[in-house]
């Protein structure tokens, strides 16, 4: 259903360090990084969807949208915890610490944060602990 998601960033090197740490924790691999500047990650063995960061195409400053959020799937609750910690270590700010969100469903475990450009990111796991993948 989704081909790719593009997140505009102001300082590419800072954003690349931030998202590289997150993507490594979520076992997503770098597909490309070049001088545009932009970079993209994907799940191993899948050409799409891509998660892309880069300078806005029109050359204007990157801005975060109110009400917009991108949720990245984590294989385990431990990966949610680790990704959240890495996000904060790399300049992110908390929008909601890791925990169950029973208002969504009984096994929804997520964490919310913003990157340095204000983009809201969620990392979540939908599986009960008994069937989470490592």
């Amino acid at each position: 259903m989704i081909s790719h998601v593009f997140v505009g960033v102001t300082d590419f090197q800072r954003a690349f360090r931030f998202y590289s740490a997150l993507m490594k924790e979520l076992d997503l691999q770098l597909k490309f990084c070049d001088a545009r500047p932009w970079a993209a990650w994907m799940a191993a063995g899948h050409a799409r969807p891509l998660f892309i960061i880069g300078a806005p195409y029109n050359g204007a400053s990157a801005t975060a949208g109110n009400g917009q959020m991108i949720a990245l799937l984590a294989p385990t609750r431990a990966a949610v915890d680790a990704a959240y910690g890495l996000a904060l270590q790399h300049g992110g700010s908390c929008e909601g610490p890791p925990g169950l969100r029973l208002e969504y469903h009984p096994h929804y475990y997520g964490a919310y944060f913003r990157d340095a450009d204000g983009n809201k990111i969620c990392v979540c796991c939908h599986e009960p602990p008994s069937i989470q993948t490592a």
Side-chain angles (χ1 to χ4, degrees), residues 4-128:
H4 60 279
V5 173
F6 187 99
V7 174
V9 299
T10 303
D11 180 332
F12 180 77
Q13 291 304 319
R14 176 186 67 198
F16 185 74
R17 287 188 301 272
F18 179 91
Y19 284 105
S20 290
L22 285 179
M23 299 308 173
K24 182 178 179 183
E25 181 59 40
L26 298 175
D27 201 25
L28 298 172
Q29 64 186 40
L30 185 66
K31 181 170 184 170
F32 64 79
C33 179
D34 64 38
R36 181 176 171 217
W38 64 338
W41 291 265
M42 64 186 193
H46 300 279
R48 302 255 182 247
L50 294 176
F51 182 90
I52 306 169
I53 62 166
Y57 185 77
N58 66 3
S61 295
T63 58
N66 185 32
Q68 296 176 2
M69 178 182 67
I70 297 167
L72 301 172
L73 191 59
T76 64
R77 293 177 183 186
V80 171
D81 295 342
Y84 173 81
L86 286 167
L88 297 186
Q89 288 173 14
H90 286 85
S93 60
C94 177
E95 285 285 320
L100 284 170
R101 303 300 199 278
L102 300 176
E103 64 272 25
Y104 302 138
H105 66 73
H107 303 295
Y108 186 98
Y109 187 87
Y112 301 84
F113 47 88
R114 291 190 185 267
D115 69 10
D117 288 298
N119 296 300
K120 189 171 181 182
I121 306 294
C122 168
V123 176
C124 61
C125 179
H126 294 274
E127 304 299 336

